[in-house]
Amino acid sequence: MDKNKIGEFIKKKRKEHGLTQEELANKLFVTEKAISRWETGRGTPDISLLIPLSKELNISVSELLNGKNNAKENINDVINYVEMNKTKKLSIKFITSCILYLVSILIFLVYLKSDYQNINTYNHFIKLLMIILSSVSLIIGSYIISTNYIDKLDDKEKFKKLNLGILFFYYSVFLFNISFFARTTDINSYNLIPFKTILTIIKTCDIYSIIINIFGNYLIFMPLNYCLVELFRINTPLKNCLTSLLLILVIETIQYIFNLGVFDIDDIILCTSGMLTFYFTYTKLFKKVK
């Protein structure tokens, strides 16, 4: 069974029916890239798509699997096709993606060990880097699988949500640690004067404090809003703004109640502003609001 021959036959029949790759993809509820992979022999249709694809191209399943017209019906064709797809799953790309998933988990476990053994504030940069590396490994691994092994739009969406859920877990643990667990100070105070803390930090000219307390607060919650939009579908501007503000208020309140930090209006301004900046930039560029 020749993947290239099958691909060329799909391409030939698609053109005979006057269909573009996008139009055929829409009829089958798969991605346009999936059609391109099939036609170039870089991939083959999932077995569940053989009958729908054959109907759209007005050919039999045997003709599709043999890559030619008037092919005789043979049950062995389907068996051979299943076996061919099994070998595809053991390709270098699939093994690489599995390794990347494993690396992602191992880095996260190392992060957990280091975070619960050493709560030195100056290690936050290293711990953040570990979370980033863990997330990047997961993203690359999931991209390889999604691009090369998943054709159906529904399956692709489910796979995306699964990986977003894992990333959200990574991020939530990191956020919990830096917001609560890693704080050893016994502070119980508050600041309700806007920009008082920000101006005080700027006047000190302490680069580390400026990065951590101003830029850090502004940037650290941006991934949270990505999860709100993509994972929890909190897409409308008003709903997203209120949710962002409420989450930051809850975190600041918990820190105050348990003497883990100052209830600071400037932290609320910076964190919420960062989340909303991300939201309006992301939804504007990628048109995600529905």
Side-chain angles (χ1 to χ4, degrees):
M1 194 162 288
D2 191 334
K3 291 191 293 183
N4 291 323
K5 189 175 181 181
I6 293 173
E8 290 171 2
F9 190 60
I10 292 173
K11 183 177 181 179
K12 175 185 174 183
K13 287 298 178 180
R14 173 179 63 78
K15 290 186 174 181
E16 286 180 2
H17 286 76
L19 295 172
T20 64
Q21 288 184 344
E22 183 181 3
E23 288 170 338
L24 181 57
N26 291 336
K27 288 177 178 292
L28 297 172
F29 300 101
V30 300
T31 64
E32 189 176 345
K33 287 183 179 180
I35 304 297
S36 176
R37 286 203 314 275
W38 302 344
E39 293 185 352
T40 56
R42 292 181 291 111
T44 52
D46 185 81
I47 191 168
S48 63
L49 292 169
L50 294 181
I51 293 178
L53 177 58
S54 298
K55 288 182 178 179
E56 292 297 336
L57 299 180
N58 197 26
I59 56 177
S60 68
V61 172
S62 290
E63 287 176 322
L64 173 63
L65 297 182
N66 286 278
K68 62 181 181 180
N69 290 316
N70 303 317
K72 294 182 180 180
E73 296 287 338
N74 189 341
I75 187 62
N76 289 326
D77 290 337
V78 177
I79 296 175
N80 292 334
Y81 187 79
V82 171
E83 291 299 319
M84 182 179 70
N85 280 340
K86 283 182 179 179
T87 60
K88 179 182 72 171
K89 291 181 179 179
L90 296 176
S91 67
I92 295 297
K93 289 181 179 179
F94 184 78
I95 293 173
T96 300
S97 63
C98 291
I99 292 173
L100 286 169
Y101 269 88
L102 181 61
V103 168
S104 173
I105 295 171
L106 289 176
I107 293 175
F108 183 71
L109 291 176
V110 172
Y111 157 75
L112 285 179
K113 182 179 179 180
S114 65
D115 212 35
Y116 288 107
Q117 284 185 344
N118 188 346
I119 56 177
N120 189 329
T121 303
Y122 288 91
N123 286 328
H124 284 337
F125 288 115
I126 297 175
K127 293 169 184 177
L128 176 60
L129 180 61
M130 293 173 70
I131 288 295
I132 291 174
L133 289 175
S134 180
S135 300
V136 169
S137 297
L138 178 70
I139 290 169
I140 296 174
S142 65
Y143 176 80
I144 292 173
I145 291 179
S146 179
T147 303
N148 296 279
Y149 299 98
I150 301 179
D151 296 334
K152 294 181 180 179
L153 294 176
D154 285 346
D155 291 343
K156 196 173 285 286
E157 185 64 22
K158 290 176 183 177
F159 187 68
K160 177 183 176 182
K161 286 185 177 181
L162 171 64
N163 287 283
L164 276 176
I166 297 173
L167 288 173
F168 179 68
F169 174 74
Y170 285 178
Y171 175 70
S172 297
V173 171
F174 173 74
L175 203 60
F176 174 83
N177 287 341
I178 64 171
S179 297
F180 307 119
F181 184 80
R183 292 172 175 264
T184 57
T185 56
D186 188 12
I187 301 174
N188 184 254
S189 62
Y190 58 88
N191 168 48
L192 302 179
I193 303 174
F195 306 109
K196 177 183 176 181
T197 302
I198 294 174
L199 292 175
T200 301
I201 292 172
I202 293 175
K203 288 178 181 178
T204 64
C205 296
D206 184 342
I207 302 300
Y208 181 80
S209 294
I210 291 173
I211 292 173
I212 292 294
N213 295 298
I214 296 181
F215 290 101
N217 282 329
Y218 183 75
L219 297 172
I220 196 65
F221 286 95
M222 286 187 176
L224 180 58
N225 213 331
Y226 177 77
C227 294
L228 293 182
V229 173
E230 289 290 353
L231 190 59
F232 300 105
R233 301 301 182 189
I234 302 178
N235 291 329
T236 60
L238 179 59
K239 194 173 181 180
N240 190 278
C241 289
L242 292 175
T243 303
S244 299
L245 178 59
L246 179 61
L247 287 172
I248 302 302
L249 280 171
V250 168
I251 292 173
E252 286 291 307
T253 302
I254 292 174
Q255 288 180 350
Y256 177 75
I257 292 174
F258 291 97
N259 299 335
L260 297 173
V262 179
F263 182 92
D264 198 332
I265 188 67
D266 285 356
D267 287 348
I268 296 172
I269 292 172
L270 288 169
C271 296
T272 306
S273 296
M275 292 183 71
L276 297 184
T277 299
F278 175 85
Y279 170 78
F280 286 107
T281 302
Y282 183 67
T283 54
K284 179 74 172 179
L285 292 177
F286 298 94
K287 301 179 180 178
K288 291 292 181 179
V289 176
K290 298 181 181 179

